[in-house]
Structures are given as C-alpha cells and as structure tokens.
Amino acid sequence: MTKTLPIAERDGERCAGPVLISGFVVGFGVIELATGALNQTSRFSLQLLVLLVLQLIGPILVSVLAMALLLPRWLDRVVQQGSKAWRQSVPAAALVGLLLMLMFFVSAIVGGVLVTPRADLLREATDLLSGIKLRDLLRTLVRSGVFLGCICAWCQWRALTALRSGRSETLIVSNLLIEGLTLALALKLIWVLAFNALVR
C-alpha cells in the first residue's frame, strides 16, 4: 500500500489534465447539441448529460484515455519488476480510475451547466445535483476503477509475455492499445449483461 499510493498519485497527475478537458468538452458538446440542434430544454439536456456520463460513455471513455496515457509506464514497470509489477500497478490503476471518473463527471457537469442560459444557471445546477442518486454515482466510480484495473492487469500480463518473446517495446505498446480498447468494450458488455441484471 505504501508504494501503491505514490504510484497512483503520479499516474493520476499524468491523466488529470486530459480527463478534465475531455469531460468539459463532452459536457459542453452534449448540452450545446441538445439545446441547439435538438431544441430540448436545458433541464432535459442536463439530465441527458448525466445519463450519458454515468451509464453510457463515462467509465469506458475514462478507462481508454487513461490506458493510452499510462501504457508506457505500465510497460516500464514490467521491464523493471517483471511478473511482480502488477502487485503495485493494478491497485494503483483501480484507484486512479475511480478518481479520474469523479473528475470527468464534475468537469462534464461544469461544462454542461455553463452552456445553459444564465438566468437558469443556479436553479438548473441545484435541480441537477439534487436529482443525482449517490448509488448510481458510486456504482459508476467503482465500474471505472474495475475497468482500468482489469485493463492494467491484462496489459502487463501481455507485455510480460511479449517481452519474453523478444518483441520491441514500440510494437508491444501498439498491440496493447488495440487489445486494451477491445477489453474495455468487452468489460462494458459484461457489466451490462451480468452486474446490472443482478442488481435489478
């Protein structure tokens, strides 16, 4: 644990900026599209944004973005520590995934609220926050942590195998980007089919 937290801190710093920008762009874009081209009310548009971020795109987008940014570091740890690299990297990745998802959600809400008419800004923000279920938010944060932790474990296992076979690190990273994206989509499907069915 003492080594996991510093790793999580460094990895989080690596990903924080891109995740915050992505969240703001998603929030701004969804609300702009919904209130403009689709001619929806600001309240409905904000509710749609929350639904998209928590249920559809949030965890998978955060996980894939973090994977792309952290993959070289994961590979370096495998090179340095071998088969023991996952003991620190996977818990750190799970923690980072959880925190990044929270940052993405807050950033998306800020980006979305800023697009709403100024006269409705405070009221819409208050109504939106009061309507968010804590259970749904926590479930999304956990899902993002699980996704990134699983992707990290897979990538480091595959990297270890590839390094032993003599492949170049550049080729390994390129292949793992594709495999990581595929795994993220598979995890999303498994979550929808398995976990959501259990909690209903």
Side-chain angles (χ1 to χ4, degrees), residues 2-194:
T2 56
K3 294 183 179 180
T4 298
L5 291 179
I7 291 175
E9 182 180 1
R10 292 194 297 270
D11 289 352
E13 291 174 352
R14 165 74 172 168
C15 301
V19 167
L20 286 172
I21 294 173
S22 300
F24 187 87
V25 170
V26 168
F28 190 95
V30 168
I31 301 303
E32 184 70 21
L33 175 65
T35 57
L38 300 179
N39 198 29
Q40 300 294 328
T41 64
S42 57
R43 174 176 295 185
F44 175 83
S45 301
L46 288 169
Q47 291 174 345
L48 176 63
L49 173 62
V50 171
L51 180 64
L52 288 175
V53 171
L54 292 184
Q55 302 296 336
L56 187 60
I57 66 172
I60 191 170
L61 181 59
V62 168
S63 298
V64 170
L65 181 58
M67 174 198 68
L69 293 168
L70 296 177
L71 196 50
R73 294 188 177 189
W74 293 344
L75 180 58
D76 286 342
R77 290 170 196 152
V78 172
V79 172
Q80 296 172 7
Q81 304 174 24
S83 59
K84 298 180 180 180
W86 69 270
R87 296 179 183 178
Q88 298 172 5
S89 295
V90 173
L95 179 59
V96 169
L98 187 150
L99 296 176
L100 290 178
M101 183 62 231
L102 182 60
M103 295 169 61
F104 181 85
F105 177 73
V106 172
S107 181
I109 295 301
V110 171
V113 168
L114 290 179
V115 188
T116 60
R118 294 299 178 266
D120 299 333
L121 183 59
L122 182 59
R123 178 173 57 83
E124 295 292 354
T126 303
D127 291 344
L128 177 66
L129 294 176
S130 64
I132 297 175
K133 295 181 179 179
L134 181 60
R135 183 183 64 178
D136 292 340
L137 178 59
L138 292 177
R139 187 184 302 171
T140 300
L141 298 180
V142 170
R143 183 161 73 243
S144 183
V146 170
F147 282 10
L148 190 58
C150 290
I151 292 172
C152 176
W154 173 268
C155 288
Q156 290 196 320
W157 173 66
R158 293 286 292 161
L160 182 63
T161 304
L163 286 171
R164 287 174 175 173
S165 65
R167 297 180 187 176
S168 68
E169 294 185 12
T170 303
L171 179 60
I172 294 173
V173 170
S174 177
N175 291 338
L176 287 179
L177 284 172
I178 300 174
E179 293 182 14
L181 176 59
T182 305
L183 178 59
L185 294 173
L187 289 171
K188 171 65 176 178
L189 180 60
I190 292 172
W191 188 280
V192 170
L193 296 179

